Amino acid sequence: MTFSRILFTSVLLLMTLWGSLWGGASMLAPSLIERAVPVVQARLEQAGVGIDDLLVSSIQISPWLTAIELHDLAVRIDLTHRDQRTWSLEVEISRLDLQLTRLLERRGDVQVSGMALQFIEPNPLPDLPFDRFTNAELRVTGLPLADPGQTAEVFRHKLKELFFENKALGDVRFSGDVTLRIDEDEMVAHLYSEPVGEGFRLRFRESDIRDISESKGLALVPEQIEIVSLYPLRAPVILVLTDQARALAKRHEPNDVWLRDALRHVAWSYSLTQTFGPDFAILVTDAQEMRPGNTPDERTMDFHNNAVGRHFAAAQIPFGSLPMRVREDPEIIRHPDEVAHFGADRLLR
């Protein structure tokens, strides 16, 4: 037998053995995973993650046995906080990929495609202003895949960094549509991660925020649309407070455009200050004054009334008293013509 025939026979034999191993692993995968689920559940519970009602349509293992695909996955997840509060969510995933990328370290990547996530009422997750995600994609790299409990803990930590602190170190990528509730209306905006420094942060697509602003009559200027887009965890609240200040001013001052303008600025700045603090309130309201078309006196009036709103919030003036104060308080500028006679030493910024 020549060397080439020996080599060919050896390769053919190895390929046959490998094919049998891969085929056997693929056929055994569903039963092996079914047996492993209780073990994984126990390890995940130690990390405060409970899984229930797990359904998987099909499972595929890569030819090199370093990756596994799960298709049409549905699961209920319970997240338990250290204070024993629990939040539940239902998740549907078209495809879940686990890829072992660093064999010796037993670390790898998780990629989720076609995900829909819904928090179950009445307990939405605090500090997260969205309770529904659709058409979502998620990728987290460098996870310790050998230990399910440790994997869940690192995975949860990465998501917490991204969704609650809006900056995750490492490769943590997300894109998807989220449902925003503004008063009684539900509106959809696209949320995605973008690289910043050594990690990623979330932001909204600006065109979606612009469309929401126009549909609600909020008249946000481009600078404000950018701010709202860059602060996705604050965006729904900013939009709600903007809408509430506009509605309050329209309800109390339907016939006087300048009193309505003064009340809207005072109430808006007041609410932003109470919710996010004075520095962020200044950032948002100052951007409003960049809109073209205002005269210098109109801009001065708006800056001043914004500052009065912050002062009222700091002094804990009741919100319900703002309409009366705007009509009667001598520190309010109620018309641009008052600016020239108001006195430079009284003007606030």
Side-chain angles (χ1 to χ4, degrees), residues 100-119:
L100 188 62
T101 56
R102 286 180 269 173
L103 186 61
L104 295 180
E105 299 176 37
R106 295 188 293 179
R107 288 184 172 271
D109 307 339
V110 172
Q111 183 160 333
V112 177
S113 305
M115 178 173 66
L117 182 153
Q118 172 73 59
F119 280 93

Side-chain angles (χ1 to χ4, degrees), residues 265-292:
H265 279 269
V266 170
W268 188 37
S269 183
Y270 177 103
S271 297
L272 288 169
T273 302
Q274 273 206 329
T275 307
F276 301 117
D279 292 339
F280 190 76
I282 292 172
L283 178 68
V284 176
T285 57
D286 277 8
Q288 173 76 13
E289 311 319 325
M290 298 300 105
R291 94 180 313 157

Side-chain angles (χ1 to χ4, degrees), residues 216-326:
K216 295 293 292 181
L218 303 182
L220 297 181
V221 298
E223 291 81 3
Q224 288 174 311
I225 290 172
E226 182 181 15
I227 291 170
V228 173
S229 300
L230 288 173
Y231 291 88
L233 299 184
R234 297 183 174 188
V237 180
I238 296 172
L239 294 173
V240 167
L241 296 180
T242 304
D243 189 47
Q244 288 177 347
R246 180 187 60 84
L248 178 76
K250 185 176 181 180
R251 184 169 65 252
H252 284 274
E253 303 296 346
N255 301 317
D256 189 321
V257 64
W258 293 116
L259 267 178
R260 185 162 65 246
D261 180 81
L263 178 54
R264 178 171 61 86
H265 279 269
V266 170
W268 188 37
S269 183
Y270 177 103
S271 297
L272 288 169
T273 302
Q274 273 206 329
T275 307
F276 301 117
D279 292 339
F280 190 76
I282 292 172
L283 178 68
V284 176
T285 57
D286 277 8
Q288 173 76 13
E289 311 319 325
M290 298 300 105
R291 94 180 313 157
N294 281 0
T295 67
D297 284 346
E298 289 171 0
R299 188 169 286 115
T300 299
M301 170 182 168
D302 291 342
F303 276 126
H304 175 84
N305 288 336
N306 289 339
V308 171
R310 295 193 299 273
H311 290 180
F312 282 170
Q316 299 182 345
I317 301 297
F319 183 80
S321 70
L322 295 185
M324 181 190 68
R325 285 182 173 272
V326 167

Side-chain angles (χ1 to χ4, degrees), residues 317-339:
I317 301 297
F319 183 80
S321 70
L322 295 185
M324 181 190 68
R325 285 182 173 272
V326 167
R327 292 191 208 102
E328 300 178 0
D329 195 309
E331 296 305 312
I332 299 291
I333 297 179
R334 300 174 182 82
H335 194 284
D337 292 346
E338 298 177 12
V339 171

Side-chain angles (χ1 to χ4, degrees), residues 125-300:
L125 202 62
D127 303 323
L128 188 66
F130 344 106
D131 61 3
R132 191 187 314 163
F133 297 80
T134 55
N135 305 315
E137 312 283 327
L138 175 66
R139 175 181 171 86
V140 182
T141 65
L143 293 170
L145 298 181
D147 184 337
Q150 189 179 4
T151 302
E153 186 61 35
V154 174
F155 191 79
R156 187 167 67 167
H157 176 70
K158 293 290 186 183
L159 294 184
K160 180 181 177 182
E161 284 185 329
L162 185 64
F163 281 94
F164 293 94
E165 301 169 19
N166 200 18
K167 187 174 181 182
L169 294 177
D171 193 353
V172 185
R173 308 188 190 198
F174 174 86
S175 69
D177 298 329
V178 300
T179 301
L180 308 179
R181 285 193 173 92
I182 303 175
D183 290 339
E184 301 300 320
D185 298 324
E186 289 189 351
M187 300 184 174
V188 176
H190 186 71
L191 184 68
Y192 64 96
S193 59
E194 64 177 5
V196 54
E198 298 180 353
F200 284 80
R201 71 176 179 187
L202 290 171
R203 68 171 298 157
F204 278 122
R205 188 164 54 196
E206 289 190 19
S207 60
D208 292 343
I209 299 302
R210 185 180 303 110
D211 290 343
I212 292 173
S213 169
E214 291 176 356
S215 68
K216 295 293 292 181
L218 303 182
L220 297 181
V221 298
E223 291 81 3
Q224 288 174 311
I225 290 172
E226 182 181 15
I227 291 170
V228 173
S229 300
L230 288 173
Y231 291 88
L233 299 184
R234 297 183 174 188
V237 180
I238 296 172
L239 294 173
V240 167
L241 296 180
T242 304
D243 189 47
Q244 288 177 347
R246 180 187 60 84
L248 178 76
K250 185 176 181 180
R251 184 169 65 252
H252 284 274
E253 303 296 346
N255 301 317
D256 189 321
V257 64
W258 293 116
L259 267 178
R260 185 162 65 246
D261 180 81
L263 178 54
R264 178 171 61 86
H265 279 269
V266 170
W268 188 37
S269 183
Y270 177 103
S271 297
L272 288 169
T273 302
Q274 273 206 329
T275 307
F276 301 117
D279 292 339
F280 190 76
I282 292 172
L283 178 68
V284 176
T285 57
D286 277 8
Q288 173 76 13
E289 311 319 325
M290 298 300 105
R291 94 180 313 157
N294 281 0
T295 67
D297 284 346
E298 289 171 0
R299 188 169 286 115
T300 299

Side-chain angles (χ1 to χ4, degrees), residues 2-35:
T2 63
F3 174 76
S4 60
R5 292 184 65 185
I6 294 173
L7 181 61
F8 174 78
T9 303
S10 300
V11 170
L12 183 61
L13 179 61
L14 286 173
M15 290 178 64
T16 302
L17 289 173
W18 185 260
S20 299
L21 180 62
W22 173 50
S26 296
M27 287 187 293
L28 290 173
S31 61
L32 291 175
I33 288 181
E34 185 177 351
R35 294 179 184 177

